[in-house]
Amino acid sequence: MRKSFLIVCLVLVSLVGDAQISLPDSMLTITKSYACNITSPDTAQAILRTIRERQTEPAWRIDFAEGDLNYNMRRYLKALSYFERVKAEPSLRDSSHVQLLLYKRLMDCYDELYLHDDLVRTIYNLRKMARARGDRAFESMAVFMSGKQHHYHGHIDLGYASCLEGLEIMREAEYVNKHIELRNYYGELLKMYTRDGRYEDAIHMSRYQEAEALYPSPAIMLKARERGLRQVYALRASMYAHAGDMTEANKAYAAWKKTTCGNAIDDMDIFDYLQLSHHHEEALGIIVRYREFISEQGDTISYRMLSALNREALLRMDMGDYEQAAACGRQVAVIAHKLHIIKSGEQMQTTYRLLKEESSSQQKSQWLTVMIVILVAILVLALVILYYVRYIRRRNVELMKVLNSLDAYRRAVLNGDALTSPKVVAAVETMRTVELSNAGSSHGVDAPDDEDRRLYIEMDTQVTRDRLFLKPGLGREDLMRLIGVDKNRFGKMMGKYSDASNTSVYISRKRVEYGAKLLLEQPDYTIATVATECGMSNTVTFNRIFKDTYKMTPSEYREKMGAALRANQQ
């Protein structure tokens, strides 16, 4: 009888609207709001609003429920704001169960919003707490997410191993939403296998995902089940389209069309199928709705928006709409530039904190030494500000190059398409500075300079993105042909826009920058192996150019930077 009454109320609210109907007291509970999350979000919102007004529940519980509601509606930024309010609640710090749930919610939000640093810390905290409590289900979530991150950053085998380990742990765990989590696991693995061209494995994951979506459970309502099946068919259609089996892809697409439960973010799962099958108009409608949806949430300067605009630009090029494609490209450049500025500030703060923590841990018991270090640091900072010595300035610039290179490799744009390398972003920032400084000049910047700068950025982007510097014998003639200029013009471009004295130095620096990345990502590689992998003729040459670039040997760099990054992740 009570269930029938609840269903009638939900139907009435969905038809009339929560602003026009008075909710009965029997519905004014957190539990009832969760029951409406999928079936009637407006009703859930009305319930929570009324509870908050009457103050019948603690504020943190209402915040938690509102965070879950917004997450289910794919409003990740808004959900994150509620979860962070819960995190700041002092009374919950000793409640390990609430903390586990909270870490899980924060982890999922950080993952959806591509907030890598926050995500890494939250994975670590979730896994540590889950192991301390012996909670296998939450440990599985941390292990699986860790695997996703390893795979995203190019550690393919380690990524799959961690994901499959997390999958097995969840299969054996006792957890109320076990089959929902497993369905999500299979969906993520399907996307990973598809990106790597492992279509047989992807087909198996699709079948497992469908079985979990159809799993009979009282906790899964019909609308939630349909939402799960919609994702199954969308991912399956895109996977078969990538594999070139358009017959099966079309079957999955037809099944997807029969489902109705989803929103702009959910429908992005079908985008690859629509693009590959030349359903351009439908694909454009989906990508535009997706972009508008995340804009409405205030998520405009982000890697999600960057990826959406890039996809839209490529789609419009396929459609022959080059003017709109160019407009998307311009927006990509603006967002990439702003993200670079934001990230640079974050990296400077991180660097300062790492150095401070390292100093504090080593000198804890020696107050006199700590005071001397602080005074010396203040003195050095004052000298940098007052005199800006060339040697110190160059060292700081090289350190920023290291941090930006690491960030670009770690936070490359979705689907592996790095829209902007550290060199390109630096060039864009330099270009903006020059333009601003010349804004008040009567001479301005002439057109040839603009064209040369564009050609240099284009060349540098391609050399970095496609790793052309690894090509044996790469020289000035190759770079000139790449952008179609003569040697006189090329020499002027390199002298004006590159900090390298000549082409050989430019290529060598590209190689040692790549070598610096390998030193951290491949700790088992010897220095000789790294030198060979980055295209250097011998170890002696690699050591010499590396030390000239970074002011330390490769071994010292691996030890110092590796220790700092490991400390930051912990």
Side-chain angles (χ1 to χ4, degrees), residues 355-537:
L355 293 174
K356 185 177 179 180
E357 289 175 357
E358 182 180 0
S359 174
S360 176
S361 63
Q362 292 177 352
Q363 308 291 340
K364 227 174 209 183
S365 60
Q366 304 177 21
W367 280 98
L368 179 61
T369 305
V370 171
M371 293 301 298
I372 293 174
V373 169
I374 294 174
L375 290 174
V376 170
I378 294 173
L379 178 62
V380 170
L381 181 61
L383 289 173
V384 170
I385 295 173
L386 294 174
Y387 304 108
Y388 210 63
V389 179
R390 179 179 176 80
Y391 175 77
I392 299 297
R393 179 177 57 191
R394 181 177 178 183
R395 188 169 183 175
N396 287 344
V397 169
E398 297 303 330
L399 178 58
M400 284 302 301
K401 287 181 180 179
V402 174
L403 294 175
N404 288 337
S405 296
L406 292 174
D407 176 63
Y409 280 112
R410 187 172 60 247
R411 298 287 295 274
V413 179
L414 205 61
N415 295 329
D417 185 10
L419 297 174
T420 174
S421 66
K423 201 74 174 180
V424 173
V425 173
V428 172
E429 184 176 13
T430 302
M431 179 172 63
R432 178 175 179 272
T433 303
V434 171
E435 290 172 349
L436 289 176
S437 64
N438 291 337
S441 171
S442 60
H443 302 291
V445 180
D446 56 10
D449 283 349
D450 287 342
E451 177 66 12
D452 285 353
R453 181 165 48 211
R454 184 191 67 78
L455 287 173
Y456 173 78
I457 292 174
E458 178 182 323
M459 177 202 72
D460 191 68
T461 300
Q462 192 167 347
V463 169
T464 304
R465 182 188 62 211
D466 299 337
R467 297 181 182 174
L468 299 181
F469 52 83
L470 298 181
K471 179 181 177 182
L474 180 69
R476 184 177 67 172
E477 297 296 325
D478 299 301
L479 299 182
M480 288 163 53
R481 283 194 297 272
L482 196 63
I483 53 177
V485 298
D486 59 34
K487 63 180 182 180
N488 291 330
R489 187 175 180 183
F490 182 81
K492 291 178 180 179
M493 289 168 54
M494 291 296 291
K496 189 170 184 179
Y497 300 114
S498 169
D499 58 356
S501 57
N502 55 50
T503 305
S504 177
V505 173
Y506 170 80
I507 296 171
S508 296
R509 286 187 179 176
K510 287 291 182 183
R511 289 171 175 170
V512 298
E513 286 173 6
Y514 182 65
K517 169 182 175 291
L518 292 178
L519 285 170
L520 298 181
E521 291 190 351
Q522 304 294 341
D524 296 330
Y525 281 11
T526 63
I527 302 301
T529 300
V530 171
T532 302
E533 287 292 320
C534 69
M536 302 299 287
S537 59

Side-chain angles (χ1 to χ4, degrees), residues 168-392:
E168 288 303 317
I169 295 173
M170 182 58 74
R171 281 174 175 167
E172 299 171 0
E174 295 294 331
Y175 181 58
V176 63
N177 292 325
K178 172 178 178 176
H179 296 285
I180 295 177
E181 290 297 327
L182 287 174
R183 185 192 74 205
N184 293 333
Y185 286 5
Y186 289 129
E188 292 297 330
L189 281 166
L190 188 159
K191 289 187 278 189
M192 291 160 61
Y193 283 131
T194 299
R195 284 196 296 269
D196 294 336
R198 297 173 57 174
Y199 299 118
E200 288 297 326
D201 291 322
I203 290 170
H204 290 310
M205 292 301 109
S206 182
R207 291 169 182 165
Y208 291 140
Q209 186 190 25
E210 184 176 18
E212 294 299 340
L214 293 170
Y215 187 85
S217 172
I220 304 177
M221 303 176 72
L222 290 178
K223 198 168 182 180
R225 173 176 167 176
E226 185 178 1
R227 188 175 187 173
L229 286 173
R230 186 172 177 84
Q231 183 192 46
V232 169
Y233 299 137
L235 292 178
R236 183 176 295 173
S238 294
M239 179 267 295
Y240 274 120
H242 278 289
D245 188 347
M246 295 310 298
T247 301
E248 291 298 325
N250 292 336
K251 289 180 183 178
Y253 173 65
W256 177 82
K257 291 286 284 186
K258 293 178 181 179
T259 62
T260 58
C261 184
N263 67 7
I265 290 187
D266 296 326
D267 288 347
M268 279 300 294
D269 291 328
I270 200 70
F271 179 83
D272 285 357
Y273 164 81
L274 295 174
Q275 186 175 28
L276 293 171
S277 61
H278 305 294
H279 289 63
H280 288 148
E281 292 298 334
E282 189 174 356
L284 182 61
I286 282 179
I287 194 66
V288 169
R289 286 195 298 275
Y290 173 77
R291 183 164 51 80
E292 290 174 349
F293 181 87
I294 60 178
S295 293
E296 289 171 1
Q297 316 309 314
D299 193 13
T300 53
I301 307 300
S302 68
Y303 288 94
R304 286 208 302 172
M305 182 60 75
L306 204 65
S307 175
L309 286 167
N310 183 53
R311 287 189 172 194
E312 184 177 344
L314 295 175
L315 178 62
R316 289 187 182 276
M317 288 180 66
D318 290 342
M319 299 171 68
D321 188 355
Y322 299 110
E323 183 177 349
Q324 287 300 317
C328 290
R330 288 191 291 271
Q331 292 182 64
V332 166
V334 171
I335 293 175
H337 174 60
K338 291 182 179 179
L339 285 173
H340 169 66
I341 294 175
I342 294 169
K343 190 60 188 176
S344 296
E346 292 175 352
Q347 292 287 5
M348 287 297 292
Q349 292 176 1
T350 301
T351 301
Y352 174 76
R353 182 171 56 80
L354 287 172
L355 293 174
K356 185 177 179 180
E357 289 175 357
E358 182 180 0
S359 174
S360 176
S361 63
Q362 292 177 352
Q363 308 291 340
K364 227 174 209 183
S365 60
Q366 304 177 21
W367 280 98
L368 179 61
T369 305
V370 171
M371 293 301 298
I372 293 174
V373 169
I374 294 174
L375 290 174
V376 170
I378 294 173
L379 178 62
V380 170
L381 181 61
L383 289 173
V384 170
I385 295 173
L386 294 174
Y387 304 108
Y388 210 63
V389 179
R390 179 179 176 80
Y391 175 77
I392 299 297

